[in-house]
């Protein structure tokens, strides 16, 4: 007889034995669906989360206090979070390693370690870290939808940088990524089945379109607080977008820096080829078990054509047109 699998033998991101009573009570009242990685998704404040992630969301909402000088990087999963983390870290710290570039922390640390996620790292498993000792400006990341941000984020002058990516490439990247996270015995998810779920809004931090629109609207209403970026635009005009980003974060490039090619240096350091070929990113792992290499796949625009049928593409295009109608946002 095979031994039943206990939650202790599961990878950390699938375990739900560390939930607080508050979280367990809440879960019993929430709509549920089959998860892409863990068994269940729960819908909280309109968006879908795995249980361990939901615990992180609640703890973060209860305990995170934003400071006016904080910068929060917000993304939909698989829209280039790792890249954005690397670029913002390099931007903020560009004076520290100018004389000795070989000492740059990005050469020996994965960007997720340098810019931690709130709900997935700092507040995971109901931890409440003391972040008051960190030097300002503090740099954090999150996948939280706008509606679920801790109140202090909205009430303070902290800034949000939002990055999203066209839904077809996001979906394909998410399909590949979540298949890597699934335990081998569960096999890969059927593309048709998870596409159907994605289209119904049932995906990690989905509905995808609601997530994007929440920040799009916020960036229209509060442009000095919320900056809206697209992966495709970063790929097409990296220097323009990174200069915009530096300006928004309050550390614009000086004319001397422009002349010395500092922007090019940052883009090179943070490029897909450089980061994905570093030893740390080829062989390292997160404390929760995910391999860093899972965050680097192809890094291209338009890769969805290699997986989606014409019919699938048409379906996603139609939903996107319908959802974004009247918003002036286009992919
Ligand atoms: P693909 O799966 O399409 O290759 P996230 O960081 O939000 O998890 O997103 C992962 C996606 O960003 C993956 O897309 C990954 O390859 C791509 N990516 C990672 N690092 C990148 C970089 N430095 N430049 C461009 N894309 C990058």
């Amino acid at each position: 007889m095979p031994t039943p699998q206990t939650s202790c033998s599961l990878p950390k991101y699938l375990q739900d034995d560390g939930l607080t009573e508050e979280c367990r009570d809440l879960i019993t009242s929430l709509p549920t669906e089959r998860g892409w990685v863990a068994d269940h998704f729960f819908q909280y404040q309109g968006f879908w989360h795995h249980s361990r992630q939901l615990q992180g969301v609640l703890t973060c909402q209860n305990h995170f206090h934003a400071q006016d000088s904080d910068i929060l990087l917000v993304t939909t999963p698989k829209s280039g979070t790792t890249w954005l983390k690397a670029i913002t870290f390099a931007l903020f710290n560009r004076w520290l390693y100018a004389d000795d570039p070989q000492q740059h922390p990005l050469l020996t640390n994965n960007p997720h370690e340098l810019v931690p996620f709130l709900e997935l790292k700092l507040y995971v498993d109901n931890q409440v870290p003391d972040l008051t000792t960190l030097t300002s400006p503090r740099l954090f990341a999150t996948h939280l939808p706008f509606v679920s941000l801790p109140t202090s984020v909205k009430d303070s002058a902290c800034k949000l940088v939002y990055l999203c990516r066209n839904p077809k490439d996001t979906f394909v990247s998410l399909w590949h990524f979540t298949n890597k996270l699934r335990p081998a015995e569960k096999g890969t998810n059927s593309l048709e089945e998870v596409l159907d779920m994605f289209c119904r809004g049932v995906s990690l931090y989905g509905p995808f379109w609601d997530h994007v629109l929440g920040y799009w609207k916020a960036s229209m209403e509060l442009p000095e607080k919320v900056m809206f970026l697209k992966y495709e635009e970063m790929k097409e005009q990296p220097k323009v977008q990174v200069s915009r980003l530096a300006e928004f974060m309050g550390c614009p490039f000086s004319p001397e820096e422009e002349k010395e090619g500092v922007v090019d240096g940052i883009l090179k350091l943070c490029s897909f080829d450089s980061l994905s070929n570093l030893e740390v990113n080829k062989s390292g792992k997160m404390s929760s078990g995910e391999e860093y290499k899972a965050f680097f796949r192809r890094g291209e625009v338009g890769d969805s054509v290699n997986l989606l049928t014409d019919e699938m593409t048409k379906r996603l295009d139609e939903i996107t047109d319908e959802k974004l109608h009247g918003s002036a946002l286009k992919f």
Side-chain angles (χ1 to χ4, degrees):
M1 276 250 301
T3 332
Q5 197 168 29
T6 66
S7 66
C8 293
S9 61
L10 288 171
K12 239 180 176 278
Y13 47 84
L14 295 183
Q15 292 176 20
D16 64 0
D17 48 3
L19 304 182
T20 58
E21 216 173 306
E22 179 200 12
C23 190
R24 285 188 187 282
D25 285 350
L26 177 68
I27 276 175
T28 57
S29 68
L30 297 177
T32 180
E33 285 264 1
R34 173 176 100 68
W36 293 31
V37 179
D39 287 343
H40 303 287
F41 266 144
F42 301 96
Q43 192 183 36
Y44 174 63
Q45 298 182 327
F47 292 83
W48 294 97
H49 305 275
H50 291 139
S51 56
R52 186 162 180 257
Q53 177 188 320
L54 179 62
Q55 175 70 72
V57 174
L58 297 181
T59 311
C60 172
Q61 288 182 331
N62 290 339
H63 296 281
F64 178 67
H65 295 290
Q67 294 178 357
D68 289 343
S69 55
D70 286 348
I71 304 270
L72 207 50
L73 309 180
V74 192
T75 53
T76 46
K78 310 328 287 173
S79 56
T81 321
T82 316
W83 189 23
L84 182 67
K85 285 183 176 189
I87 287 177
T88 45
F89 181 87
L91 272 178
F92 258 155
N93 295 293
R94 64 189 189 261
W95 298 282
L96 292 180
Y97 307 101
D99 293 337
D100 199 355
Q102 288 313 312
Q103 293 305 313
H104 203 292
L106 274 167
L107 298 175
T108 45
N109 295 272
N110 177 268
H112 292 289
E113 299 306 324
L114 299 172
V115 185
F117 278 115
L118 290 176
E119 76 281 11
L120 298 173
K121 173 93 180 174
L122 296 170
Y123 292 91
V124 78
D125 297 335
N126 201 31
Q127 291 173 146
V128 182
D130 177 13
L131 306 177
T132 55
T133 53
L134 298 180
T135 47
S136 301
R138 307 181 306 177
L139 205 48
F140 302 115
T142 182
H143 288 316
L144 281 174
F146 191 74
V147 66
S148 298
L149 288 173
T151 10
S152 66
V153 172
K154 295 178 188 166
D155 293 345
S156 69
C158 85
K159 292 190 174 195
L160 310 177
V161 177
Y162 185 73
L163 174 69
C164 62
R165 185 181 191 185
N166 81 73
K168 287 174 286 190
D169 288 347
T170 303
F171 167 73
V172 166
S173 185
L174 192 59
W175 183 73
H176 284 291
F177 182 73
T178 47
N179 281 338
K180 282 180 204 151
L181 294 191
R182 283 166 65 82
E185 66 274 14
K186 285 189 162 190
T188 55
N189 276 317
S190 132
L191 183 65
E192 289 72 18
E193 193 189 346
V194 291
L195 176 69
D196 193 60
M197 293 176 84
F198 188 83
C199 290
R200 290 192 293 112
V202 185
S203 62
L204 215 54
Y205 295 88
F208 168 86
W209 298 273
D210 294 1
H211 200 289
V212 175
L213 281 171
Y215 285 96
W216 172 253
K217 286 180 190 146
S219 73
M220 295 286 121
E221 284 160 19
L222 304 163
E224 69 298 332
K225 184 174 178 77
V226 185
M227 178 179 192
F228 193 92
L229 287 168
K230 289 183 197 160
Y231 182 88
E232 294 75 20
E233 291 175 349
M234 295 264 292
K235 279 288 216 181
E236 199 173 298
Q237 291 191 302
K239 277 174 91 163
V240 174
Q241 300 305 333
V242 169
S243 299
R244 270 183 72 209
L245 184 58
E247 193 126 4
F248 179 78
M249 299 201 322
C251 55
F253 292 105
S254 67
E256 291 74 41
E257 284 184 305
E258 307 249 356
K259 248 187 267 152
E260 287 163 13
V262 175
V263 195
D264 295 293
I266 289 175
L267 285 170
K268 187 158 179 268
L269 174 69
C270 302
S271 69
F272 182 87
D273 285 346
S274 307
L275 292 183
S276 60
N277 282 308
L278 292 170
E279 196 47 46
V280 60
N281 294 325
K282 285 200 281 192
S283 56
K285 274 186 185 180
M286 290 188 157
S287 48
S288 44
E290 297 95 323
E291 291 183 308
Y292 292 143
K293 65 178 178 212
F295 292 90
F296 303 94
R297 196 180 59 89
R298 298 191 65 164
E300 287 167 11
V301 174
D303 180 49
S304 60
V305 295
N306 296 314
L307 188 73
L308 303 183
T309 62
D310 290 349
E311 201 183 320
M312 290 170 165
T313 299
K314 186 164 170 267
R315 185 170 177 201
L316 277 168
D317 283 342
E318 282 174 2
I319 295 179
T320 303
D321 284 350
E322 183 195 312
K323 297 270 188 188
L324 304 189
H325 182 75
S327 70
L329 174 61
K330 299 247 173 313
F331 281 109

